[in-house]
Amino acid sequence: MYLNNIRPRRNRKNHAMRSLMRETILTVDDLIMPLFIVEGKDKIIPVDSMPGINRFSRDLIVKEVKELWNLGVKCVSLFPALDDSIKDRLATESKNPDGLLQKTIKDIKDACPDMLIMTDVAMDPYSSDGHDGIVCEKTGEILNDETLDILSAMALSQAQAGSDIIGPSDMMDGRVGHIRETLDSEGFHKTQIMSYTAKYASAFYGPFRDALDSAPKAGDKKTYQMDPANLTEALREIELDEAEGADILMVKPGISYLDVIAKMKERTNLPVAAYNVSGEYAMVKAAAEKGWIDGEAVSLEMLTSFKRAGCDMILTYFAKECAINFAKN
């Protein structure tokens, strides 16, 4: 008789009760919107493999940022799509104070000063080789220590332009400490570092590389990005990034790595982020276009799963859509 009185369904009986009992709450405050930038004026170039996502010229990205701010999105992450003519093997353009990224940061800060700006630190958008580090011309090896000075100079240039959060995504050993030391030595003590702590050599990145035309020209990124089969290795990366001065730790991709997110949250007192990457976004959009799933419901379920696993913030291409839906409801 006693067992028949235990009915968990009483706590699910209607919408009001389910809302009252809800353990994990996703809000617009949790979301960071990635944005792609191109040179020119009055340009909106769709990313074919990411329906609803565009590359914006500087003038129009400011308009987009203002709209995001009004919807409640408080942080954007910027990625420049550059012409091959200004790329070289040492990513020289990455530290140009008058470069596309640097000018865009200033434009956004002038127009929407309270919007937080995150910027990516890796050589691939600027490299003629398409890799995150320097490629040895003789062996093809990605040179770790030789890359660190370039990454630090890139990070400093971004901070000088007004970036609030530096995001090293390169997965070179020691880069967080090297960047932190450079920023501090130049007076940028308040500039945060969100380290891509566990960035996996994933098959989910294809649409992003299309958007930036940044795929490796030869080889792959498996000697520096993590093996998708590994979890314990990510715990080692946590310890290193904490010791080197990271302010926020990130797992990338997200949906196939919820176990990594949960373990990371258990192991650190730092905020934890996930990157809901381009391939994850594209799969939802493609299935929704076919009518096979409810895209809006699936995206919210996916993002809620990141929160449930322990994320404090989520980089996601769904950020604007979600913000619009939150505003309606």
Side-chain angles (χ1 to χ4, degrees):
M1 179 64 70
Y2 174 74
L3 291 177
N4 289 336
N5 290 331
I6 299 175
R7 295 184 179 271
R9 284 185 57 185
R10 283 193 286 261
N11 291 345
R12 313 173 198 148
K13 65 183 181 181
N14 55 39
H15 175 73
M17 185 60 70
R18 290 194 299 274
S19 297
L20 188 64
M21 296 293 172
R22 188 159 295 140
E23 300 170 27
T24 304
I25 307 296
L26 178 74
T27 75
V28 70
D29 292 332
D30 301 315
L31 308 178
I32 298 171
M33 181 69 187
L35 295 172
F36 300 119
I37 324 159
V38 293
E39 288 283 10
K41 190 172 182 180
D42 199 28
K43 285 185 179 179
I44 298 180
I45 305 171
V47 180
D48 291 340
S49 53
M50 300 174 69
I53 299 300
N54 303 296
R55 308 173 189 92
F56 295 95
S57 54
R58 284 172 51 203
D59 53 332
L60 296 185
I61 208 165
V62 167
K63 182 180 178 182
E64 182 73 4
V65 167
K66 287 181 177 179
E67 186 175 348
L68 286 164
W69 179 263
N70 290 334
L71 287 167
V73 177
K74 302 298 194 303
C75 185
V76 294
S77 185
L78 304 180
F79 297 92
L82 303 177
D83 190 87
D84 284 346
S85 64
I86 59 173
K87 298 179 182 181
D88 61 31
R89 64 180 298 272
L90 297 180
T92 306
E93 180 64 17
S94 67
K95 56 187 177 182
N96 178 4
D98 295 317
L100 174 61
L101 177 63
Q102 289 84 345
K103 289 189 293 187
T104 303
I105 294 169
K106 293 172 183 176
D107 290 345
I108 292 171
K109 283 297 184 181
D110 285 343
C112 192
D114 292 329
M115 176 65 85
L116 294 173
I117 296 176
M118 179 176 173
T119 46
D120 182 70
V121 172
M123 286 179 59
D124 55 333
Y126 309 92
S127 168
S128 52
D129 295 307
H131 275 283
D132 294 12
I134 299 173
V135 180
C136 178
E137 292 181 292
K138 292 183 179 179
T139 66
E141 178 187 358
I142 311 303
L143 302 176
N144 191 96
D145 294 3
E146 293 85 343
T147 298
L148 298 183
D149 285 342
I150 292 175
L151 299 176
S152 293
M154 186 187 311
L156 178 59
S157 180
Q158 293 171 1
Q160 289 169 335
S163 178
D164 301 284
I165 305 169
I166 302 299
S169 66
D170 56 285
M171 290 302 287
M172 299 297 118
D173 293 337
R175 88 276 202 209
V176 172
H178 207 284
I179 291 169
R180 182 76 271 164
E181 183 178 351
T182 298
L183 292 176
D184 288 353
S185 68
E186 295 294 330
F188 291 95
H189 306 282
K190 295 180 181 179
T191 304
Q192 291 168 285
I193 296 176
M194 183 191 294
S195 175
Y196 287 58
T197 298
K199 182 178 180 180
Y200 286 87
S202 171
F204 284 101
Y205 300 149
F208 177 92
R209 291 174 182 169
D210 288 344
L212 294 188
D213 190 23
S214 62
K217 299 300 186 288
D220 54 41
K221 301 190 177 187
K222 292 180 179 178
T223 65
Y224 48 100
Q225 294 179 354
M226 287 178 52
D227 187 333
N230 292 358
L231 172 59
T232 304
E233 185 180 2
L235 306 183
R236 185 183 186 198
E237 293 283 0
I238 293 169
E239 295 176 359
L240 292 170
D241 282 357
E242 284 185 331
E244 291 176 29
D247 300 288
I248 306 165
L249 308 180
M250 186 206 290
V251 177
K252 180 182 180 182
I255 198 64
S256 293
Y257 299 87
L258 296 178
D259 58 328
V260 182
I261 294 167
K263 281 290 185 183
M264 185 175 288
K265 190 63 176 178
E266 289 175 4
R267 293 297 186 99
T268 185
N269 290 321
L270 293 177
V272 172
Y275 200 141
N276 178 209
V277 298
S278 59
E280 296 168 342
Y281 174 89
M283 288 192 303
V284 173
K285 286 294 184 179
E289 285 183 359
K290 290 284 190 179
W292 295 340
I293 61 171
D294 180 335
E296 180 182 322
V298 169
S299 64
L300 289 172
E301 184 175 339
M302 182 183 291
L303 297 177
T304 300
S305 76
F306 297 147
K307 282 281 288 183
R308 191 183 66 245
C311 282
D312 299 285
M313 62 202 77
I314 307 159
L315 286 85
T316 177
Y317 301 96
F318 291 113
K320 185 177 181 180
E321 289 181 25
C322 287
I324 292 170
N325 290 331
F326 291 151
K328 288 179 181 177
N329 299 324

